[in-house]
Amino acid sequence: MRILINALSGIGDALMFSPALALMKRHSPESNIDVAVMFKPVEDLFRNNPYVDNVYFIDFLKQSKLKSLKQTLALRKNNYDASINVYPSNRREYNMVQYLEGAKVKIAHRYLHYSKSNWDFLNSKLIQEVKDRHNVIENFELAKTVFPNIREEELGGLEIYLTPDDAAFAEKYFNDNELNRRLVVGFHAGSATFKGHINKRWSPIKYGSLARHLTERYHAKILLFGTETDVNEMIQTLGGSNVLIPETGNLMQSLALMEKCSMFVSNDSALMHMAAGLAIPQVAIFAYTNYKELHPWQNRHIIVRTELDCSPCFFNSPKPVKCIYAGKDEYKCIKLVEVIDVLEACEALIEEIPRNVEP
């Protein structure tokens, strides 16, 4: 069987399909499974995945529509038996691409916030989205359409594969900066910005204060990850000399550094899911997104959030997030999370970390 996975959305969304992908290949090792992507970091994520046969990168955002159309239509020659739009893919464009690829069976979701404008009728089979069901399980339900005998309890963790070169890069960085046998805490203070998601970021001022507490109480070193240079520089300034911003050449080098961290603190972001894939104990700070659907999968974690009647309020839709409050109360779900809340979560995880670090 020839299967095409359309992982055209973000890095975290693509990663949350990886347990279903591994399960499909284990049940049918003779099947050929290809992946189509539109972001380079997603391509990097799948390049070393042993369950993937081919990765096709189509730069829909930067190249001409004609070139993208030609590359999409070229996939038809592979004569796929089935194609799957990774969850969530609640946009008309994703359904159009899947239709043009020409698989015999085209599988996607019917979303709770349904709109005829997303053209899901272009697909052959639709799986009903279920509120509060984790994204990994939503993706499993897609895969089950192709392989009805797979079972949810067989799902493993998120799959990340680093190369020996990636590991060597991280080892050198830790040696050069005398980080071995230290409590090293990774931070990701950023998030996606599309659809207004910059509003789910915890304050960099509070991250800076958290860094101060961790370095003073636990002699920790803090590594800042992500591409949000201005945010990271502010945290470094506020956090002091024990806060470092590693220079990496690509996503996989960053992940290799993350893997060596003792713990990880982040907003709800792609790097939060990657920390789960690397099995790093983590503190996840949530705002208006649904932690029941997005919590770190099969990994030790503590979620910090403000319990409000209106939260979570964001659902999978092309529409941007919109807060019911205005002024100083706008997005108060994230503003009300205090440093002490996150610090206490960090301390709970630190108590669990093996005592093989030096003060």
Side-chain angles (χ1 to χ4, degrees):
M1 181 177 287
R2 296 186 64 86
I3 304 166
L4 177 64
I5 309 300
N6 289 307
L8 301 177
S9 46
I11 308 170
D13 295 333
L15 183 60
M16 283 188 283
F17 191 84
S18 62
L21 174 62
L23 193 53
M24 292 167 70
K25 194 71 170 184
R26 289 200 299 270
H27 269 260
S28 180
E30 72 281 1
S31 290
N32 184 286
I33 302 179
D34 297 341
V35 179
V37 305
M38 63 182 283
F39 296 109
K40 274 292 183 184
V42 181
E43 180 184 27
D44 293 341
L45 200 61
F46 283 116
R47 279 291 175 202
N48 299 317
N49 190 311
Y51 304 114
V52 174
D53 292 282
N54 299 289
V55 181
Y56 296 100
F57 171 68
I58 304 177
D59 196 353
F60 287 105
L61 297 180
K62 295 182 180 179
Q63 67 189 20
S64 71
K65 292 181 180 179
L66 179 60
K67 184 174 181 180
S68 294
L69 177 61
K70 288 180 177 178
Q71 287 179 300
T72 301
L73 292 175
L75 294 175
R76 297 173 72 94
K77 72 178 186 300
N78 293 331
N79 296 314
Y80 291 109
D81 297 290
S83 62
I84 294 175
N85 274 354
V86 164
Y87 177 89
S89 299
N90 190 10
R91 295 187 69 91
R92 174 173 56 201
E93 292 82 358
Y94 298 140
N95 291 323
M96 289 174 60
V97 167
Q98 177 151 264
Y99 175 77
L100 292 170
E101 291 162 345
K104 296 180 181 69
V105 179
K106 306 168 188 66
I107 306 163
H109 269 84
R110 165 62 61 88
Y111 290 88
L112 290 170
H113 294 269
Y114 169 71
S115 170
K116 291 182 180 179
S117 64
N118 85 340
W119 294 4
D120 65 5
F121 61 84
L122 295 174
N123 300 295
S124 311
K125 294 186 178 181
L126 294 173
I127 302 300
Q128 180 61 55
E129 180 185 29
V130 176
K131 188 178 186 298
D132 294 340
R133 185 160 67 183
H134 197 282
N135 284 26
V136 169
I137 302 176
E138 292 283 9
N139 282 313
F140 164 80
E141 293 295 331
L142 294 169
K144 192 174 180 180
T145 303
V146 184
F147 298 106
N149 293 328
I150 62 175
R151 294 177 292 116
E152 185 180 319
E153 55 267 31
E154 296 178 282
L155 285 168
L158 305 181
E159 305 260 349
I160 295 175
Y161 296 90
L162 301 172
T163 67
D165 286 345
D166 298 327
F169 169 84
E171 187 64 33
K172 183 177 187 304
Y173 184 89
F174 266 61
N175 287 334
D176 291 348
N177 290 277
E178 300 181 345
L179 298 178
N180 292 309
R181 297 185 60 78
R182 298 293 299 270
L183 177 68
V184 180
V185 183
F187 282 8
H188 181 224
S191 68
T193 57
F194 61 89
K195 293 195 281 191
H197 282 324
I198 195 169
N199 294 297
K200 65 180 176 181
R201 295 182 182 182
W202 197 44
S203 163
I205 296 173
K206 291 181 178 179
Y207 268 109
S209 178
L210 178 66
R212 278 282 184 189
H213 283 294
L214 291 173
T215 56
E216 291 171 4
R217 292 191 190 186
Y218 298 99
H219 306 284
K221 291 282 189 177
I222 311 296
L223 296 188
L224 303 182
F225 294 92
T227 58
E228 298 82 2
T229 304
D230 55 338
V231 172
N232 282 345
E233 288 177 349
M234 180 185 296
I235 295 170
Q236 185 179 47
T237 299
L238 296 171
S241 60
N242 287 310
V243 179
L244 307 176
I245 305 176
E247 292 186 11
T248 59
N250 53 50
L251 172 65
M252 305 314 286
Q253 288 183 349
S254 293
L255 294 182
L257 287 176
M258 282 175 55
E259 188 178 40
K260 293 177 70 64
C261 290
S262 310
M263 57 184 290
F264 198 74
V265 182
S266 71
N267 309 319
D268 169 23
S269 68
L271 287 184
M272 179 195 78
H273 296 297
M274 292 180 190
L278 296 168
I280 312 165
Q282 58 189 132
V283 175
I285 307 170
F286 272 77
Y288 49 77
T289 50
N290 193 335
Y291 71 96
K292 294 179 182 178
E293 299 174 355
L294 294 164
H295 64 78
W297 177 256
Q298 291 190 6
N299 190 50
R300 176 67 176 114
H301 68 273
I302 297 175
I303 289 173
V304 181
R305 60 183 292 270
T306 305
E307 188 69 43
L308 297 174
D309 290 341
C310 59
S311 181
C313 64
F314 181 76
F315 50 85
N316 292 310
S317 161
K319 296 180 180 180
V321 64
K322 187 175 182 180
C323 186
I324 63 173
Y325 298 101
K328 64 180 179 60
D329 283 336
E330 188 176 28
Y331 299 108
K332 66 179 181 179
C333 52
I334 193 68
K335 293 176 182 176
L336 291 174
V337 175
E338 300 297 345
V339 174
I340 187 62
D341 302 323
V342 181
L343 178 60
E344 288 178 350
C346 289
E347 290 178 330
L349 290 182
I350 289 171
E351 287 299 312
E352 300 173 9
I353 294 173
R355 299 299 182 185
N356 60 351
V357 295
E358 298 173 353

